[in-house]
Amino acid sequence: MPRNRLADEASPYLLQHADNPVDWYPWGEEALARARREDRPILLSIGYSACHWCHVMAHESFEDEATARLMNTHFVNVKVDREERPDLDRVYQIAHQILARRPGGWPLTVFLDPQDLAPIFAGTYFPPEPRHGMPSFREVLEAVARFWREHRDEARRQGAELGRILAGVRPRPGALPDPAAAFAAAVAELAAQHDARHGGFGGAPKFPQPTLLVLLARAEKPRGRAMLAAALAAMARGGLRDHLGGGFFRYCVDADWTVPHFEKMLYDNALLLPIYAEAAARDGEAEAAEVAEATAAWALTTMQSPEGPFWSSLDADSAGGEGAFYLWTRDEARSVVGEADWPLVSAHFGLEGPPNFEGRWHLTARTPLAQTAARLGIDPAAAAAALARARARLLAARAARPAPGRDEKWLAAWNGLMIGGVARAGRLLGREDWIDAALRAAAGTRAALWRDGTLHASGRSGRLGAPGFLDDYAFLGLGLVELVQARFDAGLLAWARTLAETMRTRFADPAGGFHLTAEEHDRLPLRLKPTADEAVPSGNGAAARLLAALGLILGEGALLDAARRTVAAAAGDIERAPSAHATLLLALDEIEHPPATVVVRAADAGPWREVLRRHPDPRRLELVLPAADAGLPPPLAAYRARGDAAWVCRGTACSAPLASPEALAASLASPASSA
């Protein structure tokens, strides 16, 4: 059977559709020119390789000969990997929300006017036959084709009206709000959404929402800390986490964190890892430390490529269907664990109760091991040993199953998140091996995706994707800032500075803030300036935090001013919905109340690092510099003393040199240390 044009693509998601009978094109001028030339609507289908319902629609419709004939007769069909092209995905998700008056998702199905790419009709998943109030996909194809054929002018009037609506989708500027008042308002918003029974926010489906958790940690309010602790415990113990192999799934389909959607995304784990590490460092929580350890182990063993960068995702599906890799029957688990350890293991992982997923069990651990051991009259140390044995046996048995597919492309933005997450967690918990892994990822990302002053959004098999978007520059730059705090490298700091300056050159809006796209990207019906957080931090929030951090580290007022203008460009949005703009709110706080910066110059960094770990402050910037000046930028080379020393700086004022780790400890322990 001949393969379609997607056979020449690098994206694993596009390659999954290379054998479809659909005459697919990748997004590009060839497809757009044909649509214009033949005046045929574009059928734009957007998804990603780990997406369960994308696979379902592919099997039901795109592999069906009759459906493919309809698609090929009436449309120019374009398949897009949303991870490679966030610009297309975000614009048409917004269009879908306006047209359908409900949130979108994946697969996203949009029909476009070939002349101006305005949407004619949009939906998500469509079944092969009518059900649950949804038309069949074939009915949709025939209806859109008929509408285009018989009501072309009406379709274009609708497109023009939608264009006017999209033109109004822009941030609201204003004066910078008071950070304390904005934090208080954000915590109040989250309190209204808080699920006091199950932890987390809202009902089903339940998402981890890491940007909100960071906001609660920074707000320093007892109410916020209680909500944070409840969410962290619920996610650690419930079905969102893989209790055998480590790492978090994308979300849970229920309100009580039992049954996940089984895909694992790099970005969720990159963002959650440092949150748990911070909880472990700040509060000495053993459970948080164990979760951080397991998440980092999963990332470094399963998701880091030999070349250094991290791969993108693990599929929700494998042989046997959605989640099959992770599910157990009671008899299967019992035979693997063995009779001696079975009572403890079955109680701990919920195997005593009814099955929680289609007649099988997805492992959860709602009750801490110590409580389970006490109820069964088992010594805590013996219980821990038994659970470790059982996990090893279950994991080995699971490894023999057909594994979910892994999307082995590299994304600059998501690598930036994981570099920063692993580096921060390693610094907080004293894990030099994690910092080593972050360094390898940074070096590999530079080698793979940085070409002639341009960062590319994606890469695989030696092929580069589109020029990078705002998120690529901002997330990678922030990741490098975290990495140089974990282990100083002048070259990486210089690269972070270059990324920030390139970002300012290519994406800045003269009116303030940053566009998602640069001039070299495709012209779409809307040029976005993303300010609200979604599954990942907003591009403008990350950009503002990057500029603020570099401005403080390098003593450059121009960078701090640029950060302030970025926040001001969305100040109205922050005041209207502060919790939806958590990353910009963090940037606002860092600009208006600059964090303390600790600079150490020492031949032996170990004792100084230990002091910093014993006195954690999540807002603090930390730079442990080599004793020699070689390669240091001038502002950092200016920190000099006779022998090893540290300086604690607040705003533009720095302490006198502190000549010993003990003196640094005393300074950090003082009430003003985090002012």
Side-chain angles (χ1 to χ4, degrees):
M1 176 178 171
R3 307 185 83 197
N4 58 48
R5 293 171 185 82
L6 301 184
D8 297 325
E9 294 299 301
S11 160
Y13 175 65
L14 299 187
L15 290 171
Q16 289 171 1
H17 295 80
D19 293 319
N20 293 167
V22 177
D23 185 16
W24 287 119
Y25 285 81
W27 181 273
E29 183 53 33
E30 183 183 5
L32 304 183
R34 180 184 174 191
R36 289 192 298 267
R37 184 172 64 250
E38 299 179 7
D39 201 28
R40 273 209 256 177
I42 295 165
L43 194 169
L44 176 64
S45 176
I46 302 177
Y48 59 103
S49 69
C51 167
H52 170 69
W53 286 103
C54 299
H55 300 325
V56 172
M57 191 165 176
H59 295 322
E60 292 175 342
S61 294
F62 302 148
E63 295 172 6
D64 179 69
E65 294 282 353
T67 304
R69 277 196 298 274
L70 275 175
M71 295 171 68
N72 296 339
T73 299
H74 296 296
F75 306 100
V76 173
N77 304 293
V78 176
K79 177 59 78 173
V80 165
D81 182 339
R82 66 108 172 175
E83 296 167 358
E84 289 189 327
R85 294 300 304 264
D87 55 333
L88 292 166
D89 182 55
R90 293 185 189 180
V91 165
Y92 290 114
Q93 291 284 357
I94 293 171
H96 170 274
Q97 190 166 352
I98 294 170
L99 288 171
R101 298 182 181 178
R102 62 178 181 272
W106 301 278
L108 181 66
T109 307
V110 192
F111 297 86
L112 307 180
D113 186 316
Q115 303 304 322
D116 58 7
L117 307 181
I120 302 166
F121 179 78
T124 52
Y125 163 80
F126 291 102
E129 305 296 338
R131 60 173 179 255
H132 306 306
M134 289 189 293
S136 74
F137 187 49
R138 287 188 294 274
E139 288 174 331
V140 170
L141 295 172
E142 290 169 340
V144 173
R146 185 168 54 252
F147 182 64
W148 180 254
R149 188 171 58 249
E150 297 175 2
H151 303 283
R152 183 81 49 91
D153 291 344
E154 183 180 344
R156 288 196 159 132
R157 280 195 299 273
Q158 174 186 286
E161 178 59 26
L162 182 61
R164 284 191 288 274
I165 295 171
L166 288 173
V169 178
R170 60 186 63 183
R172 293 173 175 82
L176 293 182
D178 173 63
F183 268 112
V187 172
E189 283 183 346
L190 295 179
Q193 304 166 30
H194 183 237
D195 183 343
R197 181 179 178 187
H198 303 299
F201 304 95
K206 209 63 152 297
F207 288 84
Q209 303 188 78
T211 57
L212 300 184
L213 304 181
V214 175
L215 185 149
L216 291 175
R218 298 296 186 273
E220 295 290 347
K221 295 181 181 297
R223 192 181 192 185
R225 282 295 177 85
M227 290 189 286
L228 171 63
L232 293 182
M235 294 189 298
R237 299 169 189 172
L240 188 74
R241 187 161 78 98
D242 180 355
H243 290 269
L244 298 181
F248 289 89
F249 301 104
R250 179 70 195 94
Y251 63 89
C252 283
V253 301
D254 44 33
D256 65 353
W257 301 102
T258 297
V259 178
H261 185 45
F262 286 94
E263 65 194 32
K264 284 185 183 178
M265 311 302 294
L266 186 69
Y267 59 82
D268 287 314
N269 289 277
L271 294 167
L272 289 170
L273 169 58
I275 295 172
Y276 278 94
E278 191 174 297
R282 182 187 62 234
D283 303 324
E285 291 225 4
E287 182 177 55
E290 188 274 328
V291 172
E293 172 74 34
T295 306
W298 170 79
L300 272 54
T301 59
T302 303
M303 301 305 290
Q304 188 164 27
S305 68
E307 297 86 350
F310 292 92
W311 291 309
S312 299
S313 63
L314 294 183
D315 208 324
D317 294 39
S318 58
E322 183 185 8
F325 183 70
Y326 304 99
L327 300 173
W328 300 88
T329 66
R330 184 183 281 130
D331 289 344
E332 180 186 18
R334 187 169 191 158
S335 68
V336 170
V337 169
E339 291 301 320
D341 295 333
W342 178 248
L344 175 74
V345 171
S346 62
H348 181 67
F349 283 137
L351 292 159
E352 294 174 321
N356 56 28
F357 188 86
E358 299 179 356
R360 290 176 288 178
W361 280 263
H362 172 57
L363 303 183
T364 64
R366 297 309 178 95
T367 305
L369 180 62
Q371 293 181 28
T372 304
R375 178 167 65 86
L376 297 175
I378 300 174
D379 175 75
L387 184 60
R389 281 194 303 272
R391 276 179 166 161
R393 291 169 182 167
L394 291 166
L395 191 59
R398 197 177 81 175
R401 300 172 176 174
R406 180 170 58 199
D407 187 323
E408 295 186 352
K409 69 174 177 291
W410 300 322
L411 297 169
W414 296 6
N415 266 278
L417 293 175
M418 186 56 87
I419 289 166
V422 171
R424 184 175 182 81
R427 174 166 63 92
L428 291 169
L429 299 182
R431 290 297 300 264
E432 295 297 321
D433 55 332
W434 299 358
I435 299 169
D436 289 339
L439 286 165
R440 288 197 305 275
T445 300
R446 180 165 190 156
L449 302 180
W450 179 251
R451 292 286 187 281
D452 301 322
T454 293
L455 181 64
H456 288 262
S458 63
R460 182 174 180 267
S461 303
R463 297 175 61 183
L464 293 171
F469 302 94
L470 172 63
D471 291 5
D472 297 297
Y473 285 87
F475 292 1
L476 183 55
L478 266 181
L480 295 176
V481 168
E482 285 290 353
L483 184 50
V484 298
Q485 293 182 79
R487 190 178 301 158
F488 186 78
D489 183 299
L492 291 178
L493 180 59
W495 190 28
R497 178 77 168 74
T498 298
L499 289 170
E501 283 304 319
T502 307
M503 177 183 77
R504 293 177 68 192
T505 300
R506 296 186 179 176
F507 299 94
D509 182 348
F514 293 90
H515 296 290
L516 174 64
T517 54
E519 291 296 329
E520 66 258 36
H521 290 112
D522 292 299
R523 289 288 173 266
L524 301 176
L526 170 64
R527 194 178 184 193
L528 285 170
K529 288 174 62 177
T531 61
D533 298 322
E534 298 177 356
V536 296
S538 76
N540 271 275
R545 295 194 73 194
L546 171 61
L547 294 168
L550 288 173
L552 290 169
I553 289 170
L554 298 173
E556 293 192 27
L559 295 177
L560 291 168
D561 289 342
R564 184 173 286 104
R565 288 195 300 274
T566 302
V567 178
D573 293 333
I574 297 170
E575 287 204 287
R576 190 181 74 256
S579 66
H581 297 82
T583 306
L584 274 167
L585 183 48
L586 295 176
L588 169 67
D589 185 49
E590 290 157 359
I591 293 163
E592 295 295 277
H593 304 295
T597 302
V598 174
V599 180
V600 175
R601 294 289 298 270
D604 179 8
W608 302 87
R609 287 277 189 203
E610 184 57 32
V611 167
L612 294 171
R613 281 194 292 273
R614 288 203 313 267
H615 297 83
D617 178 352
R619 296 183 78 247
R620 188 171 62 219
L621 294 169
E622 300 174 358
L623 294 167
V624 180
L625 308 177
D629 284 348
L632 290 179
L636 298 182
Y639 289 95
R640 292 190 182 92
R642 293 182 179 178
D644 295 351
W647 294 259
V648 179
C649 304
R650 301 177 184 92
T652 58
C654 293
S655 68
L658 303 167
S660 69
E662 292 75 18
L664 175 61
S667 176
L668 296 180
S670 69
S673 64
S674 59

